[in-house]
Each structure stands twice: as C-alpha cells, then as structure tokens.
Amino acid sequence: MTDRRRNLFILLLIAGLLAASLVVIATKQTRLGLDLKGGVSLIYQAKPTKQSQVTGDAIERTLDIMRERVDQLGVAEPEIQRSGPDQIDVSLPDVQNADEAAQQVGTTAQMYFYDWEPNVLGANCKPAPQDPNVTGGAAAGGGTGAVSYFDAVQRASKCPERNIPNATTNGLFYLVDTKAKRVLAGPAETRKDLDQEVQNKRIKTAATQQVLEVKQGNIVVRAEGPDEKTKSNRYYVMLDRPALSGTDIKNPEQQFDQGTGGSGQPIVTFDFTDRGRRIWQQTTRGIAQRGQDNFIPGQDPQSAYQHFAIVLDNELISTPFIDFQQNPDGIDGRNGSQIQGGFTIDSAQRLSNLLKTGALPIKLDLISASQVSATLGRQALNQGLVAGIAGLTIVALFMLTFYRVLGIIAVGALAVYAIYLYALIKVIPIVLTLPGIAGLILTIGVAADANIVIFERVKEEIRAGRSVAAGIAAGYRKGLSAIIDANVVTFMVAFILFVLATAGVKGFAFVLGIGTIVSFLTAVLLTQAVLGAMSRTRMIMHPTALGASPRSHHWWQSFDFMGASKWFFSASGVILLIGALAIGQKGLNFGIDFESGTRIKTELVRPADEQGVRSVLAGTGLANPEIQRLSGQEVRGNNGFQISTETLTEQQRARVQQQLDRRYGVRTFNFDTIGPVFGQTVARSALIAIIASLIVITAYIALRFEWKYAVPVLIALMHDVLITSGVYALLGREVTTSTVAALLTLLGYSLYDTIIVFDRIRENVPRMPRAA
C-alpha cells in the first residue's frame, strides 16, 4: 500500500469513527458520579453471622437482595457492586436522605417470632412472665422486666450457656463502662469484631471498661418505643428460642387495619408457608391454653392474656396478645396474620419491602456514607467542565502560537480526541467523577506532549536541510519511539492504579488509561496522515509555515544550564528542606478520607460566623470541631461552612442539622462519614498502588533503556512528591483522595516528560561514547 493510500485509509477511518462518536454523543446519556450529580453513597463491610460466613456466594446473594430493595426505592441507575473481598459499594443517584436509604438497603432484616412469657428472663435468668407493654413493671420470677441497656447486658452476661438448636447467634460480645453504666460497643459476633468496632468508634481505653460475653441461648432486645420514630431506652433479656423466622412467612404487604374495630392505622400483613402455618398453629395454641390456665373467673380476662413477640434485628416491633376466648385452639394462620405497632405509611412500607426481599445472609456494617445535594453536584460539574475547557484552550493557543500550521492540525487532532473520549465515556459507560475529570485533563496534556515531541523533531529535520516532506517523515519516525515508551509507561501505571486503588483514584486511573490509548490514535496516526496528505501542498511547503524557520538567538539558547546546575540543585534543596521541616513540624493534614471522621458542608440561610456555628455545635455535644468558611466557588453565597469532626452517628448528624436549621436555617446539608476501616483501606490501597507503579516504572525503564536510567527517574518523581507534600504541610491544606488524584496528575506529566528526555539521551549516546 502506498503512503497516499495509507493516509487516505486512515483519514477515512478517523472520519467514520468521528461520525459514530457524534451519534453516540447525541443519543446516549452521560453517567455522572454522585460528586457531580448528587445522591447518596454507602459502603458496607460484610460480617459473618451464625447462619452464614462471608463467602463469594453470600456476597452475591446479598447484592441480589440489595438490588431488589433499591428497586423498591425507585432509584434510577443505581450502582451496587462488590469492592474488594468483603466490601459492598452502593451509589444511589438523586437520593437525598442517606439515613433512610441505609435503613432500606443495608438492614439485615432478620425477623423472628418468640413465645413471649416463657422466654423473657428476670434478674435470676429464669422466665419472668410480664406484660410487654409495661416496660418498667415488675416481673414474676425475680427482678424487673425491661431495664436499661447496661443492666440488660450485665444481666444477660450472667446467664448460663444454653444449647438451643435454633438459636440465632453463637453468643455476643459487648464493651461496657462499669462506672458510667453505659454500653460502649456491641453486640459483636466475635471478639475480633468487637475490637474493630471499638477502633471504628475511636473509644479510648479506660480502667472502668469491661468486655461482657452474652453466651449462646441468650439475647438482649430493645423494647418497643412510644412511636415509630422514637427508640426506647429500655431492654429485655430473652431466651434465644424463636418459634418462627422470617423465612416462614410470604407475601408481606403494607395495608390498613380495616377489620372489626380496626383503627385504620398502617399495618403489615403476611401469609405463612405450609411449615410456618403449622408451627404458628402450635405456638398460638400453647399461648392460648396458657392464658386459659392463668385466667381466674371473676377477673378481667385481659389480665391473663399471653403474648408472642416479633423481633426484627434485636428490636421488638410488636408484642400482640392471643385472646384465648376467641381463639381457644390458637390461630390456624390460613388467613395469614398482621403486624401492627405505631407504623407510619412509610415505615410500614419499608418493613414490608424488607420482608418481601428477605433477610440478608450476612451482617453489613456501614463504614462510609456520604450525601451530596444536586446543587453542589451541578456546581462541581460546572467547575470541572470549566477547568477542562480552560486547559484545552490554553494548550490550543500554545500550539497555534509555536507551531502555526502544525498547531492547527494538532488543535484539530485534540478536538477529535475530545470527541472520541467523550463518546467512549458514554458508550462503555464510564461513570464520570471529579478525579475522572482530572484524569481527562491529564490525557489532554499527554496528547499535546505527543504532538510537541513529533513537531519539534520535524522542525529539527527541516532546519538540518531536509525537505518539508522528508522532514515530516523523519520527524515522525524518530519521535515515535519516545511516544510509545511514554504512553506504555503511562498506561501501565493507570492499569496498576485501577486494579489496586480504590475510591476516586480508581476513576482517575480508568479515564487516564482510556485517554492514553485514544490520544495515541489521534496525536500520532491522525496528524501523520493529515501531514502526509498535505506534504506536497503549498500550505506547508515553506518551513516558516511550520514554525521551522532558522532559529532566532534568544538568551535561553546560549545559557549554560548544565554549568548553572549547582544553583538549580541548591534552590531545589532549599525548597525540599523547607518542605521537610514543615512536614516534620506540622505534619500532613490528612482528611477524613484517610483518618476517618465526618465532614459536613452546609449553606445557611441567615448570616453566620465561625464562632456562632461553633456555639451551636457545642450545644449538640461536639468537642473541638474544625470549622471553615467556604469560598464563593464552593457555595452560591458567602454563608457556607465546612465542619470536620469525629465520626458522627445518624442521630448526631440529625441533631447538628436540626440545631443549625433552628438557629440559622439550612439551605443545603451535605456530609461524608468515613469509618477508620474504610479510611485505612483507602490509604493502604493508594499507597500500595503508588509503590507498585514506581516498581513497574523502574523495571520498564531498566529493560527498555538501561538500569542506571531508573535511578534518576525515581529521584525526579520523589522530588516532585516531596515538594508538593511540603507545600501542603506548609499551608496546612487538607489531603483527600482528590489530592491524591491531583498528585498523580503531576507525577503523570513528570513521568511522561522524563521518558521523552531519556529517549533523546539514548539516541545521542552512540554519538558521544565518552559521555555515556
């Protein structure tokens, strides 16, 4: 195939791909990440239960159940995927209440039915029959019934182990403070899980702390609250001897109590399986007969009524009684049954959905949660697009100024590159995030670098006396090896980061890898084909049109850079020393992405200052929160604040929002909560990925060039990392996963240019053997 035909074929191929890309862009929707679109992100860590270990099959079953639950929420384009060996990442676009989403999606939903009176225990660990609706009343069998959480755990820990075949746990562990009489952590299935929870909550060790084990066959359950939104602070100790489980029911639905004397309140109805109906009949018959035996003629029959308890995830949700006069032989269950307990329509619907999808086979601990409003997401997207357009514009102006006709071709190639990459982002599809935009901007630089390397070689060949056509051919031939080396190293680094890293770094790596491949297609093949097709035209026949006129003498051309190297080394050393002192004295300000905690970004309605916000937070019990006023770029006005504090619970976050709203009015309220487990995972994976990337870079350079070239590469990269880290330490700027993405962008540029310089050195070494 002749050069002309080859160039024509490439141009036709590029044009066809361009047309297809435009069609994709016009017909497909861009998938935006939650940081650009708004929504809720939840990350769970799987824990074993008595019924199931954390295996691949258990996690896959959990993912299926969670997807069914999300479908019940009506969320468009949710993402639920496994992350690592035991973590699950849930992204829910446009959802604006993280706490309700977590209750719906990640609740274990293990439901059990207990015969109440024989299983509720008193202070002597013996059955203590009592009315469950009188949570503080006296109980037969010794002691009171419902007690404080601490008293319940302490009482349960004194009960002996019981070998009950259908017990729901193998025993549970709690950490308590015997002086304050508080439960600090638990229940946990194992001592290891308890230690992990203590670490997550950052509980400091004290002499008054004690680990209590509630042995198999005993459980602690929370009493019913006064209403659906208010949790009770009273607890029962029970024998862990369920009669039925959630697997024995079917067809749960949210209904209204319309029966005889019905209240019209929301309820949950359900049917029984064949096995469940049989056990239900036997259980309720025993309850009815026990009520009949306890009935004393002449007294109110209700005083003899006996109960069964419905327990969902260790909380009583209903304790109805069996009327032995209406049902002397129990309830056959042919018409199903119902659960009532002060539900709202939403809570009854949520419970019916949980029962409909079934219980999760494993326990899920929420280790990270974030909520981003649509307003903040759109603002972040606009800023990212402005940054990308600004970067592309500056590069285009540079290319046009220095390379003229070549610059026009390069700008056209960059435009084609942008269209290709945008189409790929839509068709794969790639979920575009802020770190992903950083990777996209880096690939613009990679594409421009490739053009600059080749164009400089073309100009050199023309200045050396070659014709324009011959100079173009020689320039591409000599510059191609450098570009291939640089692109291969960049792609390898992107691949390693994608495989090993997590969170935003993974999105950065994916866009970087795809962009590197596309940039090679447009920056090399497209520009070469265009120049090849134009090489005989008048437009580029004169060297001046290519910016290849004889060199003008500028001061930097005669400056002895190598002779002044000692000054450059000294300046660099001073900067490194200042940075090292700043790191040693102040340290790096790691954000919650790495050290855990809660970061709240809120925009207030009425004017406020840092001191006023601090006083409001002090009223909620938060000690020493870090408060910063946000700039106008991060919020619509100048009344936004970022609050960084220790990890807050759902109740603490709600209290902060409530108090801020009461004092100033809250326009937007966004938060990130990162537990130590997830923070350590992010930090560890990022560090491992960066180290692995440096090892691969070293190996590639040693094989492709010589081993001695690898040393200055590592020195140069570490030099850039240390200077950047020093600046962050000096200014006290927060280090987040976005900072890691920015640092990787910096290293990408440094690495790409270093490879190009080494390729030129390798070319010149044979001419100067003594210099080698």
Side-chain angles (χ1 to χ4, degrees):
M1 182 182 292
T2 63
D3 288 345
R4 183 182 178 188
R5 288 187 175 182
R6 182 179 63 84
N7 292 334
L8 182 60
F9 174 77
I10 292 174
L11 291 176
L12 288 175
L13 176 63
I14 295 292
L17 292 175
L18 183 62
S21 298
L22 292 173
V23 171
V24 168
I25 291 173
T27 57
K28 287 191 173 290
Q29 192 174 8
T30 306
R31 298 188 64 180
L32 300 177
L34 298 185
D35 54 353
L36 301 178
K37 186 177 183 180
V40 167
S41 173
L42 306 169
I43 298 178
Y44 293 94
Q45 184 170 37
K47 299 283 183 154
T49 64
K50 181 179 180 181
Q51 291 75 23
S52 180
Q53 296 297 313
V54 179
T55 63
D57 290 341
I59 289 183
E60 287 302 318
R61 174 60 183 153
T62 300
L63 291 174
D64 291 340
I65 293 174
M66 295 177 79
R67 290 188 183 103
E68 291 182 44
R69 292 180 178 180
V70 170
D71 289 342
Q72 300 288 345
L73 285 173
V75 179
E77 297 184 349
E79 288 190 16
I80 305 174
Q81 56 190 353
R82 185 173 180 175
S83 177
D86 60 354
Q87 292 181 2
I88 295 175
D89 190 342
V90 180
S91 297
L92 306 175
D94 298 324
V95 173
Q96 293 303 318
N97 193 316
D99 300 325
E100 287 187 5
Q103 291 176 10
Q104 175 78 5
V105 177
T107 299
T108 306
Q110 293 280 3
M111 189 170 76
Y112 296 97
F113 296 74
Y114 291 84
D115 185 351
W116 174 256
E117 278 75 14
N119 291 310
V120 64
L121 302 178
N124 58 4
C125 292
K126 297 293 179 70
Q130 60 189 284
D131 186 342
N133 298 310
V134 185
T135 56
T144 58
V147 294
S148 70
Y149 195 14
F150 172 82
D151 289 337
V153 171
Q154 192 174 52
R155 175 184 297 185
S157 68
K158 297 176 182 178
C159 295
E161 183 174 349
R162 294 177 170 91
N163 185 19
I164 300 175
N166 60 340
T168 61
T169 75
N170 290 321
L172 298 169
F173 293 86
Y174 296 81
L175 178 68
V176 301
D177 188 315
T178 55
K179 182 178 180 181
K181 294 188 175 182
R182 291 179 54 223
V183 177
L184 304 177
E189 297 277 344
T190 65
R191 181 65 184 270
K192 180 181 178 181
D193 289 343
L194 181 67
D195 293 340
Q196 185 64 68
E197 183 180 346
V198 170
Q199 181 185 356
N200 291 350
K201 293 182 176 180
R202 297 182 178 275
I203 299 173
K204 296 181 179 179
T205 304
T208 56
Q209 292 174 4
Q210 182 180 2
V211 175
L212 298 180
E213 179 183 3
V214 176
K215 299 179 180 61
Q216 181 179 355
N218 307 282
I219 57 170
V220 175
V221 299
R222 187 197 293 265
E224 290 183 72
D227 55 62
E228 188 269 334
K229 291 187 177 180
T230 305
K231 299 287 188 181
S232 173
N233 60 357
R234 310 297 286 176
Y235 290 79
Y236 292 100
V237 179
M238 293 182 63
L239 287 178
D240 191 12
R241 187 169 54 192
L244 290 162
S245 71
T247 59
D248 295 312
I249 69 172
K250 60 182 181 180
N251 305 326
E253 296 289 345
Q254 183 266 312
Q255 301 287 348
F256 295 93
D257 187 6
Q258 302 293 355
T260 304
S263 63
Q265 294 298 311
I267 60 173
V268 177
T269 62
F270 55 87
D271 298 323
F272 291 102
T273 64
D274 292 340
R275 175 185 179 277
R277 188 170 67 245
R278 184 175 65 255
I279 298 175
W280 176 253
Q281 169 96 51
Q282 296 171 356
T283 302
T284 55
R285 181 189 295 124
I287 294 174
Q289 291 175 352
R290 193 170 62 245
Q292 180 66 51
D293 294 341
N294 291 341
F295 174 60
I296 299 175
Q299 291 187 351
D300 185 353
Q302 291 188 13
S303 63
Y305 286 167
Q306 304 288 289
H307 305 76
F308 69 90
I310 303 173
V311 177
L312 179 70
D313 292 340
N314 293 332
E315 292 190 11
L316 282 175
I317 61 172
S318 184
T319 50
F321 61 84
I322 302 297
D323 189 335
F324 59 85
Q325 294 177 323
Q326 293 185 9
N327 304 284
D329 195 40
I331 304 173
D332 61 18
R334 294 183 184 275
N335 297 321
S337 188
Q338 66 184 42
I339 304 173
Q340 58 189 36
F343 293 119
T344 62
I345 294 177
D346 288 340
S347 63
Q349 185 67 56
R350 184 164 58 244
L351 176 59
S352 67
N353 289 338
L354 290 173
L355 299 179
K356 194 175 297 182
T357 56
L360 299 179
I362 50 181
K363 181 183 177 182
L364 296 180
D365 284 348
L366 185 62
I367 59 175
S368 173
S370 64
Q371 177 179 302
V372 179
S373 68
T375 301
L376 188 62
R378 284 194 300 270
Q379 194 170 9
L381 175 61
N382 292 337
Q383 292 173 357
L385 291 177
V386 168
I389 293 171
L392 189 61
T393 302
I394 293 172
V395 170
L397 290 174
F398 174 85
M399 301 295 287
L400 292 173
T401 301
F402 282 87
Y403 298 103
R404 303 176 189 179
V405 175
L406 292 178
I408 295 174
I409 296 171
V411 170
L414 283 176
V416 172
Y417 159 77
I419 293 172
Y420 280 0
L421 186 57
Y422 189 36
L424 276 174
I425 287 173
K426 286 193 168 194
V427 78
I428 289 178
I430 299 172
V431 179
L432 196 58
T433 62
L434 278 176
I437 292 177
L440 190 153
I441 294 173
L442 173 56
T443 58
I444 293 176
V446 168
D449 264 0
N451 285 138
I452 290 171
V453 169
I454 291 176
F455 292 169
E456 285 297 328
R457 298 306 294 260
V458 169
K459 288 164 65 175
E460 284 184 10
E461 296 299 325
I462 293 174
R463 285 177 179 143
R466 292 180 183 270
S467 65
V468 170
I472 291 173
Y476 270 92
R477 184 180 67 253
K478 293 182 178 180
L480 189 60
S481 63
I483 293 171
I484 290 176
D485 285 332
N487 280 13
V488 167
V489 172
T490 303
F491 183 80
M492 289 168 63
V493 170
F495 179 77
I496 292 170
L497 290 174
F498 180 77
V499 171
L500 297 180
T502 185
V505 178
K506 189 181 288 287
F508 167 88
F510 193 70
V511 173
L512 175 60
I514 296 295
T516 300
I517 296 173
V518 177
S519 70
F520 185 81
L521 174 67
T522 57
V524 179
L525 294 182
L526 174 58
T527 56
Q528 184 179 20
V530 172
L531 282 173
M534 296 175 60
S535 60
R536 303 293 180 183
T537 63
R538 291 185 177 182
M539 184 177 295
I540 62 173
M541 285 301 293
H542 197 281
T544 305
L546 304 179
S549 56
R551 287 183 181 272
S552 301
H553 290 285
H554 300 286
W555 66 269
W556 59 80
Q557 292 174 307
S558 58
F559 186 80
D560 185 6
F561 283 94
M562 296 304 297
S565 59
K566 60 183 179 181
W567 298 106
F568 296 135
F569 282 128
S570 298
S572 178
V574 170
I575 295 173
L576 286 174
L577 178 61
I578 294 173
L581 292 174
I583 294 174
Q585 183 177 0
K586 301 176 64 175
L588 290 173
N589 179 23
F590 287 105
I592 66 168
D593 296 341
F594 302 107
E595 291 201 336
S596 79
T598 296
R599 179 173 54 227
I600 296 171
K601 289 186 178 181
T602 181
E603 185 181 354
L604 304 178
V605 177
R606 293 182 287 277
D609 56 23
E610 289 89 338
Q611 191 58 41
V613 172
R614 189 179 302 278
S615 67
V616 172
L617 297 179
T620 66
L622 295 187
N624 301 320
E626 181 182 329
I627 302 172
Q628 296 174 280
R629 183 182 290 275
L630 297 176
S631 66
Q633 294 180 340
E634 296 172 280
V635 291
R636 287 178 292 179
N638 192 33
N639 202 35
F641 295 87
Q642 176 175 291
I643 303 166
S644 300
T645 182
E646 60 186 12
T647 304
L648 302 182
T649 64
E650 171 189 337
Q651 292 79 14
Q652 288 173 314
R653 282 201 314 269
R655 192 158 58 247
V656 168
Q657 183 175 1
Q658 182 183 31
Q659 293 301 320
L660 286 174
D661 189 49
R662 181 178 300 172
R663 176 84 171 268
Y664 297 109
V666 171
R667 182 173 285 118
T668 61
F669 191 86
N670 308 283
F671 70 86
D672 289 292
T673 292
I674 306 293
V677 173
F678 187 64
Q680 291 170 3
T681 300
V682 172
R684 183 173 57 251
S685 62
L687 183 62
I688 292 174
I690 292 174
I691 292 174
S693 300
L694 293 176
I695 292 173
V696 169
I697 291 169
T698 303
Y700 182 85
I701 292 175
L703 293 173
R704 190 72 176 85
F705 299 92
E706 292 182 36
W707 67 267
K708 61 185 178 183
Y709 285 91
V711 176
V713 167
L714 293 179
I715 293 175
L717 292 179
M718 294 307 298
H719 172 271
D720 296 341
V721 170
L722 290 174
I723 286 181
T724 307
S725 301
V727 170
Y728 261 78
L730 197 62
L731 300 179
R733 299 286 294 181
E734 188 178 53
V735 179
T736 66
T737 52
S738 296
T739 307
V740 174
L743 182 61
L744 292 172
T745 304
L746 175 68
L747 294 184
Y749 284 126
S750 178
L751 176 64
Y752 199 93
D753 292 338
T754 303
I755 295 294
I756 290 171
V757 171
F758 281 180
D759 187 82
R760 192 62 181 268
I761 293 174
R762 179 179 57 185
E763 179 184 333
N764 290 333
V765 162
R767 304 175 188 174
M768 300 177 290
R770 294 183 61 186

